[in-house]
Amino acid sequence: MPPPRRRLLQRLKAWFRPAPPPTAERQQAQALIRAVDAGGLPLNPGRVNQIARQLGLEVSARAPVEQTLERIRAALRRPDLPIDPPAS
């Protein structure tokens, strides 16, 4: 286990590191939300569900599209925080 100062330095470096470029899944989700915000309606609920699943969300095939869009919005607002390595 690294000393406390080293762990603090690692966390600070991770905090101020530039964000990685968005993944293809995230870009698709952002494009979907932009289109909906611009007044578009998603015509294919299966595609919306597929994008949500790519983001790691569990989506029912019977879930309303509006609910799935709100869950996608929430997923896009989540920060991608670095995960601490497991203690050995």
Side-chain angles (χ1 to χ4, degrees):
M1 185 165 149
R5 284 187 182 182
R6 186 170 180 198
R7 280 191 310 197
L8 176 63
L9 185 60
Q10 288 172 344
R11 283 183 173 244
L12 287 173
K13 282 182 181 179
W15 184 266
F16 292 107
R17 186 177 308 138
T23 61
E25 295 86 12
R26 209 166 167 85
Q27 287 175 340
Q28 288 178 345
Q30 289 169 340
L32 172 68
I33 296 300
R34 277 195 304 271
V36 169
D37 289 345
L41 294 174
L43 299 177
N44 186 351
R47 182 73 179 129
V48 175
N49 289 348
Q50 179 185 10
I51 291 171
R53 287 187 186 107
Q54 288 174 345
L55 290 175
L57 302 174
E58 291 185 22
V59 183
S60 168
R62 295 185 180 142
V65 174
E66 295 81 18
Q67 180 185 13
T68 306
L69 288 171
E70 287 306 313
R71 292 185 64 205
I72 291 173
R73 286 178 201 275
L76 290 175
R77 284 192 296 265
R78 277 193 316 240
D80 293 325
L81 298 176
I83 300 173
D84 290 337
S88 42

